[in-house]
């Protein structure tokens, strides 16, 4: 392990931050915190055509909400900026010129139509067109026409700069998660490093910035694994030391087939972004859906990482303490909407009453401030998410629609007398205290030779409208004597 550990999360602002990117940022953060390293936020905004307004803010806000804090970024500054790649154009130009000068890169003038022709022609023959050592001298570039002519043409024509992939070489490298890998350069394109618009491609900018920002560990998604051989070759061309690499497994659809996408959120009915995003339509995020940031972090950490302990509920500090790259799995991790809902409910149960009440108050403006504390105390064991609580527990605010068949089923002998006696006595209570309510219910059941369970069953069907909900005595305390009596009287005459 290197002495100075530095990691980076480097998203492209081409849309909202998907939970796949969120997990990549989280794993970088956990490793940086575990090892005492530094974490850099670098915005890779060189693809001007795909850049989306508001995307960078959404990325930064999402990361801030889940508690992933950076040591260096565009907002925070640092000694290795600028941290937006669009502000580093001169740096990339200088480095691509170095590669050209050293014979590791070259100018290419091939027209798109001509390259498309070659690709289609190869497809007809059942082959794949690869632009590299086996055919580059037959194409339109400075290696074929000579540097003198190329320098004249770049003054008046569009051009790109391509990497000169070494011929007949095997690139060997190690990935912390996937082990030793070998790739033949016969299968690697002479990738474009510098585009005709004067901007670098991901490959050049990524390698140059990781070197200049002294990144020691690159933790990124599996989709970049096919590019790793090229990046190793670029490090070698610059005569730089390579960082250590770890490529994370994909997050799969709930079905387990295919990579999770934003469309899957619509299809399966769960969020795929931390925060809401609007683009043609609004996509609700985990925050707006009532999830806690710590619960989301807990769940995302377990997507592809297996801790040593046999438990599933972790605080952020516990995740940092337990996290290791070696425990990350190679196989894709299936996203499970039910599992994240359960993890969120467990984090809700672990919250203090005041903290949870304040959170619910912010997320449920349709519930009065004065009753929120009592309401939350009553329903906390049943809360899965902290939004739409009035709708989820509507029977605590409005009289339910009574189920006549259920009430008749619950009317055992003695129930009517016991309930009537309870109604008459409860209105005499000066305050609604749980122990007094339960003592009265026990007394009413006993006097009428009625089992306590049958009495409570009828009361639940009368108060809730079905056989669910919190403790009956607690609901009576919350509703009060008048509302409880009104619901019970209505149930008795059905």
């Amino acid at each position: 392990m290197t002495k100075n550990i530095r990691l980076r999360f480097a998203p492209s602002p081409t849309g909202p931050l998907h939970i796949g990117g969120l997990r990549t940022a989280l794993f970088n953060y956990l490793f940086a915190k575990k090892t005492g390293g530094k974490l850099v936020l670098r915005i890779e905004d060189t693809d001007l055509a795909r850049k989306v307004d508001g995307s960078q803010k959404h990325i930064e806000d999402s990361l801030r909400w889940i508690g992933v804090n950076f040591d260096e970024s565009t907002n925070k500054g640092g000694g290795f900026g600028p941290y937006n790649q669009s502000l580093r154009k001169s740096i990339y130009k200088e480095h691509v010129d170095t590669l050209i000068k050293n014979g590791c890169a070259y100018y290419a003038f091939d027209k798109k139509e001509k390259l498309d022709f070659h690709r289609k022609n190869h497809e007809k023959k059942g082959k794949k067109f690869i632009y590299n050592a086996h055919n580059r001298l037959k194409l339109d570039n400075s290696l074929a026409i000579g540097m003198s002519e190329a320098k004249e043409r770049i003054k008046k024509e569009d051009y790109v700069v391509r990497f000169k992939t070494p011929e007949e070489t095997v690139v060997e490298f190690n990935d912390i998660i996937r082990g030793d890998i070998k790739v033949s350069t016969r299968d690697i394109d002479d990738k474009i490093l510098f585009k005709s618009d004067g901007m670098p491609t991901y490959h050049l900018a990524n390698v140059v910035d990781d070197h200049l920002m002294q990144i020691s560990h690159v933790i990124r998604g599996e989709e970049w694994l096919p590019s790793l051989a090229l990046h190793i070759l670029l490090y070698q061309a610059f005569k730089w030391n390579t960082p250590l690499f770890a490529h994370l497994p994909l997050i799969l659809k709930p079905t387990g087939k295919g990579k999770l996408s934003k469309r899957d959120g619509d299809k399966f009915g769960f969020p795929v972004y931390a925060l809401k995003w609007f683009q043609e339509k609004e996509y609700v995020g985990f925050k707006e859906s009532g999830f806690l940031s710590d619960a989301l972090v807990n769940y995302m950490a377990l997507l592809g990482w297996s801790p040593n302990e046999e438990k599933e509920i972790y605080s952020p500090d516990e995740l940092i303490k337990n996290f290791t790259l070696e425990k990350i799995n190679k196989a894709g991790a299936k996203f499970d909407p039910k599992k994240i809902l359960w993890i969120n409910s467990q984090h809700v149960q672990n919250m203090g009453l005041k903290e949870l009440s304040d959170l619910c108050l912010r997320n449920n403006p349709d519930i009065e401030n004065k009753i929120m504390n009592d309401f939350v105390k009553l329903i906390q064991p049943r809360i899965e998410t902290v939004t739409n609580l009035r709708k989820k527990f509507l029977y605590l605010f409005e009289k339910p629609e009574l189920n006549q068949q259920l009430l008749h089923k619950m009317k055992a002998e003695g129930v009517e007398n016991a309930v009537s006696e309870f109604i008459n006595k409860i209105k005499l209570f000066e305050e609604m205290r749980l122990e007094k309510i339960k003592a009265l219910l026990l007394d009413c059941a006993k006097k009428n030779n009625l089992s306590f369970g049958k009495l409570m069953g009828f009361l639940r069907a009368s108060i809730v409208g079905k056989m669910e909900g919190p403790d009956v005595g607690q609901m009576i305390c919350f509703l009060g004597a008048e509302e409880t009596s009104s619901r019970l009287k209505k149930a008795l005459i059905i």
Side-chain angles (χ1 to χ4, degrees), residues 147-341:
M147 187 59 76
S148 179
E149 182 179 340
K151 286 186 176 180
E152 288 300 315
R153 289 179 64 179
I154 65 175
K155 296 176 184 177
K156 53 190 176 183
E157 292 184 41
D158 285 341
Y159 68 92
V160 297
V161 176
R162 288 182 179 270
F163 180 63
K164 186 180 178 184
T165 307
E167 191 173 356
E168 296 299 327
T169 300
V170 174
V171 186
E172 299 184 37
F173 49 89
N174 177 271
D175 184 273
I176 295 171
I177 297 170
R178 296 159 198 284
D180 294 328
I181 301 172
K182 295 181 180 180
V183 178
S184 171
T185 56
R186 286 178 296 180
D187 302 319
I188 303 175
D189 283 271
D190 285 0
K191 292 291 187 184
I192 295 173
L193 302 179
F194 217 69
K195 298 178 287 186
S196 58
D197 63 1
M199 296 296 283
T201 60
Y202 169 82
H203 305 295
L204 177 70
N206 177 276
V207 168
V208 169
D209 283 347
D210 281 350
H211 172 74
L212 295 180
M213 294 180 180
Q214 299 180 12
I215 301 303
S216 64
H217 293 70
V218 173
I219 303 173
R220 60 188 179 186
E222 180 182 299
E223 62 269 23
W224 294 112
L225 191 58
S227 301
L228 183 53
L230 169 63
H231 295 174
I232 297 292
L233 290 171
L234 278 167
Y235 279 104
Q236 292 173 354
F238 282 118
K239 295 182 171 55
W240 294 337
N241 292 327
T242 58
L244 300 177
F245 291 94
H247 286 80
L248 306 177
L250 295 175
I251 298 178
L252 305 175
K253 302 173 189 286
T255 59
K257 297 179 180 179
K259 182 180 177 182
L260 185 72
S261 71
K262 69 178 183 181
R263 289 179 293 277
D264 293 320
D266 286 339
K267 181 178 180 181
F268 294 102
F270 60 83
V272 292
Y273 307 127
L275 306 180
K276 67 180 178 182
W277 172 259
F278 185 86
Q279 189 176 14
E280 296 177 355
K281 62 172 281 188
E282 183 171 87
Y283 295 90
V284 177
F286 280 97
K287 181 181 180 182
E288 295 77 27
S289 298
F291 287 82
L292 309 183
S293 59
D294 283 358
L296 178 58
V297 165
N298 186 163
Y299 179 72
M300 296 304 296
L302 298 177
L303 271 181
W305 171 68
S306 301
N308 291 322
E309 300 176 314
E310 291 188 5
K311 72 172 194 171
E312 296 180 289
I313 305 304
Y314 288 85
S315 69
D317 286 343
E318 289 175 321
L319 289 173
I320 291 169
K321 180 182 177 182
N322 286 276
F323 188 77
T324 60
L325 293 176
E326 288 74 18
K327 286 290 184 178
I328 296 175
N329 306 317
K330 296 179 184 178
K334 184 170 68 173
F335 187 88
D336 185 347
K338 291 182 180 178
K339 184 67 172 289
I340 189 172
L341 200 61

Side-chain angles (χ1 to χ4, degrees), residues 12 22 80 104 136 144 184 215 247 285 289 291 365 383 406 419 423:
S12 298
L22 198 76
F80 297 87
C104 297
R136 63 169 74 108
S184 171
I215 301 303
H247 286 80
S289 298
F291 287 82
I383 297 177
L406 175 63
V419 172
I423 292 171

Side-chain angles (χ1 to χ4, degrees), residues 445-459:
K446 186 177 180 180
K447 285 182 178 178
N448 289 279
N449 297 316
L450 179 67
S451 74
F452 186 67
K454 287 185 177 180
L455 175 58
M456 298 302 278
F458 181 82
L459 292 177

Side-chain angles (χ1 to χ4, degrees), residues 90-108:
S90 61
I91 296 173
Y92 309 128
K93 182 67 170 66
E94 175 187 340
H95 282 81
V96 83
D97 287 346
T98 297
L99 290 177
I100 293 171
K101 182 180 178 181
N102 294 342
C104 297
Y106 59 92
Y107 299 107

Side-chain angles (χ1 to χ4, degrees), residues 412-423:
E413 186 177 347
V415 162
E416 291 189 40
N417 288 339
V419 172
S420 296
E421 186 176 344
F422 177 73
I423 292 171

